[in-house]
Structures are given as C-alpha cells and as structure tokens.
C-alpha cells in the first residue's frame, strides 16, 4: 500500500484504500456494535474511523493498525 501511495497514482491509491475498507469494514462495524447498539450509528462511526485512517495515513502499517482496532487494542 505504501508503494501505491508514494506512486501518486490516484487509481492505485483508491484501489488500496478500497481493498482495506472491504476487508476490514464489517469487522470494524461489528466491533463498534459491541459498544453502540444502534446499527445506523455504528455504521456512521465506522465510516468516521476509515475517513480518519485515510486522511491521516502516513505510510504506517495500516493493516496492523486496523487489526489492532478490530481486536480491541486501539
């Protein structure tokens, strides 16, 4: 993913983020649902989590960060 972002190729960047969103979106939403019992609010918060991740991505290990979030360590 870092390589795709550094390439400044918007298609590659979009594809990388889409892959992460599709892979982890439901898991993140499920984790939020443990605390927020309203699915609509949980989905909004899940989108906020990903927007924050995408807006603040700086080459960190995104997969590790999201896996940590899903496990409840973040």
């Amino acid at each position: 993913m870092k390589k795709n972002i550094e390439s400044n190729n918007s298609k590659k960047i979009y594809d990388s983020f889409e892959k992460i969103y599709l892979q982890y979106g439901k898991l993140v939403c499920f984790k939020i649902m443990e605390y927020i019992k309203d699915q609509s609010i949980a989905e909004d918060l899940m989108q906020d989590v990903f927007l924050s991740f995408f807006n603040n991505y700086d080459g960190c290990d995104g997969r590790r960060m999201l896996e940590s979030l899903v496990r409840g360590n973040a």
Side-chain angles (χ1 to χ4, degrees):
M1 181 166 169
K2 182 177 179 181
K3 200 183 298 184
N4 286 344
I5 289 174
E6 290 173 350
S7 75
N8 288 324
N9 180 316
S10 53
K11 170 83 169 113
K12 287 182 179 181
I13 294 168
Y14 175 84
D15 289 346
S16 293
F17 284 130
E18 181 181 42
K19 182 178 178 181
I20 289 173
Y21 184 83
L22 292 173
Q23 184 173 355
Y24 291 100
K26 288 182 181 179
L27 290 171
V28 171
C29 191
F30 179 78
K31 188 67 179 176
I32 294 169
M33 287 286 295
E34 290 180 4
Y35 301 97
I36 307 295
K37 302 304 181 192
D38 184 305
Q39 185 169 352
S40 173
I41 293 172
E43 289 172 356
D44 287 344
L45 290 171
M46 182 261 307
Q47 290 178 1
D48 290 345
V49 166
F50 279 95
L51 282 174
S52 178
F53 170 73
F54 298 152
N55 289 330
N56 296 301
Y57 182 83
D58 62 357
C60 66
D61 187 346
R63 178 180 296 173
R64 182 170 290 158
M65 185 195 80
L66 287 172
E67 288 173 350
S68 177
L69 174 67
V70 169
R71 285 192 310 268
N73 298 333

